[in-house]
Amino acid sequence: MTDLKTRGLVIVGCGKMGSAMLKGWLANGLAPSSVTVIAPRPSAWLQSVEGLRLNAMPDTPPAMVMLGVKPQIMPDVMPDVARFAGGQTLFLTVAAGLPIAFYEAALGARTPLVRAMPNTPSAIGRGITAIVGNGAADEADLDLCERLLGAVGQVVRLEGESQMNAVAAVSGSGPAYVFHLIETLAAAGEAEGLPADMALKLAKATVGGAGALAEESDMLPSELRVQVTSKGGTTAEALKVLMDAQTGFAPLLKRAVRANINRSEELAK
Ligand SMILES: NC(=O)C1=CN([C@@H]2O[C@H](COP(=O)(O)OP(=O)(O)OC[C@H]3O[C@@H](n4cnc5c(N)ncnc54)[C@H](O)[C@@H]3O)[C@@H](O)[C@H]2O)C=CC1
Ligand SMILES: O=C(O)[C@@H]1CCC=N1
């Protein structure tokens, strides 16, 4: 972390995900003067952060370069960061799909690189990020990433890169599925006569509260579900619909996760 402070962090591509992480890091005490952001269209927020260096690559190798552009843009930015390849700078990428081999082709296999899959709840310190390093990333590199990413939520280390697309399909994209659950639960309540704002408030608090309970409780989600479900009661009737083997959540989410992974595989080509 001291190295990050003195030699600096360069963020290339700081949109929704990069900004969510940077917000968390700054809130956790990372000095803006240690951070350089390369952004063709810097947001009003980025421009407002006092002391942050914008759009001026440092002359000397920073401690870390974080790559936060879209996978489709990644090939365009590699020539700009290749000057820091070779070992002095640790690269951290959050892009979906692109394999470690893509970065090694541009930066060389001796360049330490950590591939990460964060998610946007990082903005409020409730993210979860999975990481995996290349052959050149040593324990200290993984530790640094774990500490940095740990400032915006939980961190898990993967056994291998082959797990990364499944992680992206579960926790990287997962917040979008949950936001859609909130939207559709509220819409169903509205269709049954609740005022829109009340239906949304009920749905948000229910998903937030159930998520927090699932995380904090010693019980499994399946046990927590049973606690809500009275025999012969109302929940059981709804669950008959949601747990239908053909049309319920399980086959639907399985298909959604598979579609997500298929896209990651396409992006890797
Ligand atoms: N949004 C999410 O929930 C998550 C996103 N990711 C990954 O994060 C990356 C960024 O995604 P988002 O933040 O959602 O997209 P975004 O579009 O909000 O951010 C990308 C940023 O890159 C900037 N950019 C474009 N060309 C550039 C260049 N040549 N040099 C520097 N910056 C450039 C854009 O102006 C934009 O601000 C993607 O690779 C995505 O796979 C990973 C996990 C979750
Ligand atoms: O939609 C995407 O491609 C990115 C990866 C995970 C979440 N957002």
Side-chain angles (χ1 to χ4, degrees), residues 9 11 52 57 75 82 96-97 100 113 127 130 159 178 197 205 239 242 260:
L9 164 69
I11 301 177
L52 189 87
M57 267 302 182
I100 286 172
L113 175 108
E159 284 160 21
V178 174
D197 55 347
L239 286 179
L242 296 176
N260 189 307

Side-chain angles (χ1 to χ4, degrees), residues 70-71 94-96 117-118 168-169 171-174 260 263 267:
K70 295 274 187 199
V94 299
M117 182 49 57
S171 59
S173 302
N260 189 307
R263 182 60 185 144
L267 287 167

Side-chain angles (χ1 to χ4, degrees), residues 155-168:
V155 181
V156 293
R157 290 194 191 193
L158 300 185
E159 284 160 21
E161 193 184 13
S162 61
Q163 296 173 317
M164 193 52 105
N165 290 349
V167 166

Side-chain angles (χ1 to χ4, degrees), residues 113-175:
L113 175 108
V114 173
R115 189 176 162 196
M117 182 49 57
N119 64 11
T120 54
S122 299
I124 56 159
R126 295 288 307 272
I128 184 155
T129 305
I131 58 172
V132 64
N134 72 344
D138 61 18
E139 195 51 34
D141 294 326
L142 285 162
D143 268 354
L144 177 61
C145 289
E146 195 165 334
R147 290 183 64 182
L148 188 64
L149 296 162
V152 291
Q154 302 177 61
V155 181
V156 293
R157 290 194 191 193
L158 300 185
E159 284 160 21
E161 193 184 13
S162 61
Q163 296 173 317
M164 193 52 105
N165 290 349
V167 166
V170 172
S171 59
S173 302

Side-chain angles (χ1 to χ4, degrees), residues 42-64:
S43 63
W45 174 72
L46 279 174
Q47 293 183 56
S48 76
V49 181
E50 224 163 287
L52 189 87
R53 200 174 135 118
L54 262 178
N55 290 327
M57 267 302 182
D59 298 323
T60 51
M64 186 186 285

Side-chain angles (χ1 to χ4, degrees), residues 12-18 38-41 68-71 73-74 76-77 80 94-96 116-120 172-173:
V12 181
C14 198
K16 292 178 282 291
M17 194 61 244
I38 307 297
R41 287 175 301 282
V69 296
K70 295 274 187 199
I73 304 291
M74 202 62 85
D76 302 343
V77 307
D80 298 336
V94 299
M117 182 49 57
N119 64 11
T120 54
S173 302

